[in-house]
Amino acid sequence: MDTTEDRLAIPQTGRRVAGEDPAKREQILDGAKRVFMEQGFEAASMNDITRAAGVSKGTIYVYFENKEDLFADMIERERRRITETIRHALDSGQPLADALMAFGMLFAAHMTADQTIRAMRMVIAANHRLPSLCSRFFSASSINPVSVLQDYLDRQVAAGILTCDDTTHAAKQFIELTTVGLFKPRIFGAMEEVPAKTAIEKNVTSAIRMFLAAYGAKA
């Protein structure tokens, strides 16, 4: 006859180990996102997130160590989502200029969106108390917009379409050019409204022209 210890030692088919259910993690992150966007990082509490996510506080702490950990994971999830979106723009087989336009439009629109601006302001506001939060925010994962664009540029260099010795630096330059005059005014409140699509398109078109003037393969 099995003892209680024997039964506990037997893996339960179909059941996940605590903290390893991706659907539950997403449920918590969705609730946290609503609370952080509505209240900000400082004002949000784990109790608020518990209610919004529809889980117990004990469940949250199985998945996340604290509020900082939860916020950082939420930001990383959003970064992965935008990265996958813009990766598809570069893998579409379009000519170089068209691919850069698709990439630039998606990236600039994301970086100037209300949700992104609020999240970045939260990080900046919390930096005096939680400097590690800023550190995690800017410690990009191995897969991010810069690395995705760099991989694409490497392929263009190999094909002889671009001439560039440092594709990582070139990728960062292009990304910065797509949001010139838009991102900083947004983050510091000088531009309250999301920039019009025409304004973003003008920026990206100019960025492509400058980028190709610097790195386009010369005949």
Side-chain angles (χ1 to χ4, degrees):
M1 182 175 180
D2 291 343
T3 66
T4 300
E5 289 183 355
D6 291 332
R7 289 194 298 273
L8 289 175
I10 299 173
Q12 299 298 306
T13 303
R15 296 187 64 182
R16 294 184 181 275
V17 176
E20 294 186 2
D21 184 347
K24 183 65 66 176
R25 175 178 286 271
E26 288 297 302
Q27 178 183 339
I28 295 170
L29 288 172
D30 287 340
K33 181 179 177 180
R34 289 194 297 273
V35 173
F36 285 132
M37 291 299 109
E38 291 172 1
Q39 301 183 22
F41 176 78
E42 295 283 3
S45 71
M46 293 299 265
N47 286 332
D48 296 327
I49 295 170
T50 295
R51 288 191 292 270
V55 298
S56 69
K57 185 177 288 188
T59 298
I60 283 189
Y61 285 114
V62 167
Y63 287 83
F64 302 99
E65 183 177 344
N66 49 39
K67 187 171 70 169
E68 177 187 344
D69 186 38
L70 182 50
F71 182 77
D73 270 38
M74 182 200 77
I75 294 296
E76 182 57 31
R77 182 182 71 164
E78 299 307 308
R79 179 159 45 197
R80 286 196 304 269
R81 286 177 174 177
I82 186 60
T83 298
E84 286 305 312
T85 299
I86 60 182
R87 185 206 296 274
H88 293 320
L90 295 176
D91 290 340
S92 60
Q94 300 181 87
L96 173 62
D98 293 338
L100 290 177
M101 174 61 76
F103 175 97
M105 290 294 293
L106 287 168
F107 180 80
H110 169 73
M111 291 301 293
T112 55
D114 285 335
Q115 179 176 295
T116 304
I117 295 301
R118 284 199 297 270
M120 290 193 172
R121 285 174 177 168
M122 282 183 231
V123 174
I124 294 170
N127 185 52
H128 69 286
R129 190 171 64 85
L130 295 168
S132 60
L133 186 60
C134 262
S135 177
R136 288 185 64 176
F137 185 85
F138 288 106
S139 295
S141 60
S142 59
I143 305 299
N144 57 75
V146 172
S147 68
V148 166
L149 181 55
Q150 178 197 348
D151 288 344
Y152 176 77
L153 297 181
D154 284 338
R155 298 196 297 272
Q156 303 308 303
V157 170
I161 299 172
L162 293 176
T163 302
C164 180
D165 295 328
D166 188 346
T167 52
T168 300
H169 187 63
K172 292 177 180 178
Q173 286 177 319
F174 181 75
I175 282 175
E176 290 294 326
L177 287 171
T178 64
T179 60
V180 166
L182 298 177
F183 176 69
K184 286 184 179 179
R186 285 285 286 142
I187 199 75
F188 292 112
M191 183 187 295
E192 292 295 336
E193 299 296 324
V194 173
K197 182 180 179 180
T198 52
I200 294 176
E201 186 173 3
K202 180 180 178 181
N203 246 34
V204 178
T205 300
S206 176
I208 293 171
R209 186 164 56 247
M210 295 175 67
F211 187 81
L212 294 182
Y215 298 116
K218 307 300 187 291

